[in-house]
Amino acid sequence: MRARRSNSREKILAAAADVARESGPGSLSLDAVASRAGVSKGGLLYNFPTKAKLMQGLVEEYLREFEQALESARTNDRGENPLAVYIRLSANDCEETQPSASWIFSAIAEDPDFMTPIKTFKRQLFERLKGETPDLKSLLVCYLAIEGLRSMNLFDSDVLSKDERRLLVSSLLEIAGSMSPLLP
């Protein structure tokens, strides 16, 4: 059976992710992405009319992948509740070094709707966790602590040592583990 070929949009996003990892999202050039994807610049611009739209596509792809990882982890046999899964996956993401996030500001300036998919995803995720977690106070503490870790990582402003991060994450997992999930 023949493997499914990815479409040009998928190739462009994969190439953009590679280029962004190598040179940082702020240094991402449309020419470099088109070259890496093996498409013309016109083909890239057909799929992503601006650099901000390309960056938004990368963010949306990341959110899809994170959602898939959440679902995959939730259906495994570890017996973790949804909040614990979210904490563990998010903490693992925060362990990865991130390039400077200054590109976000230029993307927002170019397209004020840039943050809409992120806001929507986070709101839906929080509502889902709220529906599956019996203790709203504990959920708020865990969710906001993890989002704080994400922000510190994204904006390269992490003030915690590796041991302090581990202590925070283990404390959050302890809080999440002390709750039994809500039954449907």
Side-chain angles (χ1 to χ4, degrees), residues 13-183:
L13 285 173
D18 289 344
V19 171
R21 267 191 298 279
E22 291 167 8
S23 61
S27 301
L28 187 81
S29 94
L30 297 180
D31 290 325
V33 172
S35 176
R36 175 76 59 96
V39 300
S40 67
K41 190 168 180 184
L44 184 147
L45 292 171
Y46 175 80
N47 286 281
F48 300 99
T50 65
K51 185 176 175 179
K53 289 295 182 191
L54 176 59
M55 298 306 292
Q56 187 173 7
L58 278 174
V59 168
E60 290 169 348
E61 182 67 18
Y62 167 79
L63 295 175
R64 269 190 297 280
E65 289 172 2
F66 188 78
E67 177 67 30
Q68 289 171 347
L70 275 173
E71 285 306 311
S72 176
R74 288 179 63 185
T75 58
N76 71 17
D77 291 331
R78 290 178 69 151
E80 287 182 307
N81 66 41
L83 181 56
V85 169
Y86 164 73
I87 292 167
R88 187 174 47 74
L89 288 175
S90 296
N92 288 343
D93 269 1
C94 290
E95 290 296 316
E96 296 178 20
T97 307
Q98 301 292 322
S100 167
S102 59
W103 62 271
I104 290 176
F105 301 119
S106 59
I108 292 169
E110 188 174 325
D111 181 4
D113 292 330
F114 177 80
M115 294 296 292
T116 300
I118 297 168
K119 290 177 188 177
T120 300
F121 175 82
K122 287 183 181 280
R123 186 72 220 172
Q124 289 171 345
L125 175 61
F126 181 74
E127 288 300 322
R128 189 169 92 202
L129 288 170
K130 196 163 77 169
E132 298 171 334
T133 306
D135 181 358
L136 180 59
K137 184 169 66 172
S138 295
L139 170 61
L140 286 168
V141 168
C142 291
Y143 185 82
L144 292 174
I146 285 295
E147 289 303 314
L149 274 181
R150 283 185 175 283
S151 292
M152 286 191 306
N153 190 34
L154 182 64
F155 293 106
D156 194 25
S157 60
D158 196 347
V159 297
L160 302 178
S161 70
K162 200 169 196 114
D163 288 340
E164 290 165 335
R165 272 195 315 278
R166 277 192 209 117
L167 177 60
L168 174 62
V169 171
S170 67
S171 298
L172 295 174
L173 287 169
E174 188 177 310
I175 292 168
S178 69
M179 296 182 278
S180 57
L182 291 175
L183 298 174

